[in-house]
Amino acid sequence: MGSETEEKVRSYSNQQRKIIALCMAVCLMLVPLSQDFHASLGTDGINIDHISSIHDPIHVNLPSSTNDNLDIYQHCEQEEASSVNSPGTFTTKPIWTAMMPFTLAESFHKNLINPLTGTTAGGKSFYSSVKGKLRHCIGNGQSVTCLNVHPNVEMTKGMPDSKASEFYGKYIMVLRNPMTSFPATYNAKSAKYSGTVGQLPEEQWRDVRDQWFDGMLEAWRNSIVTWSQTTYDLGMYLVFEDLFNMERGIGSMKKLRVFLQEAGFEVATEDELSCILYRAASKDDMLNKFQKRKYEYDDYIPGYTVEQRNKMLNEFLRMKKEFSNDSELIRILDQYEEEIQTTIKIDENDVESRSVATP
């Protein structure tokens, strides 16, 4: 920098302008970011001044997504004990947390829920067992959320309705855009059951996609529909993509915090939410991967045919009509529709018309 510029930087007036510019930059940075295969798929602006009624899920409006500046969260890398003291005795009930298989890794689920509630094993899986006996999220200390993939792997003995007296009256529905959910699910399944390391070959993905696409899309829809028909009320949607986008994710964490408070759980302070999310999302470098490619693998972005793209878009249209009174689900489907319209990879060998879906 030349002497003339250095002299200006030293001046009091320019110091003031730099401070103002820095404040404006920070404000802009804080603007929120835009068995067989089928059988074994085994918020910002949130108003927390009132809690929703037992029949109404918590709704928020989330902004569009852009990349985060992760440098501001570096202080979170040092683990700190949760400020929440889990009670020795409790009257809370676990919360059904439904999803498509492999949407949330069990480790991520635990790393999110346990520090948020001060529990050692609050985030549980419906399928975990002790000495070969399934516990169904009951026992081993205070249970907070019970991760499950019903109806893709259907519960027995009339569950979940038959367990209504043992579980909280509202459920959490975890959603991920089918565009990335389908290939990530197949890759995770292959890693778990076949020991696959890294991303599967692209041709293998195409073969699986073309064989199972219709079934996967129907299963994605059925997960939402089936839970809406249980005796439980919808508590909230937890959007997978938002959890790997810090600004949007903090909004989701605020919403989750309010919901868990409503269910009677002790929760961390709002000031702790960003670090809880950052630590959970940064495991296995997931947060950085999603910053770069919005996907957890680096070798390639899984593509689709035009026909498959249009089927996803038409399914969203169908669901928006079916769930016309669910403004939060419609907002999420709109978000997924935009992501597919703007970012989907169409296989180069698919030269069909690229017309979009019509109502």
Side-chain angles (χ1 to χ4, degrees), residues 22 89 94 103 116-117 191 217 228 253 256 265 270 278 289 336:
L22 178 61
T89 59
T103 300
L116 180 57
T117 56
L217 186 58
S228 73
M253 291 291 286
L256 180 59
F265 294 97
E270 279 200 24
Y278 179 83
K289 289 178 180 178
Y336 288 168

Side-chain angles (χ1 to χ4, degrees), residues 303-320:
Y304 290 88
T305 67
V306 169
E307 180 183 12
Q308 290 163 349
R309 177 197 63 185
N310 290 350
K311 283 183 177 180
M312 285 188 279
L313 296 177
N314 279 320
E315 184 58 60
F316 295 162
L317 292 172
R318 173 188 175 193
M319 293 185 69
K320 283 190 280 188

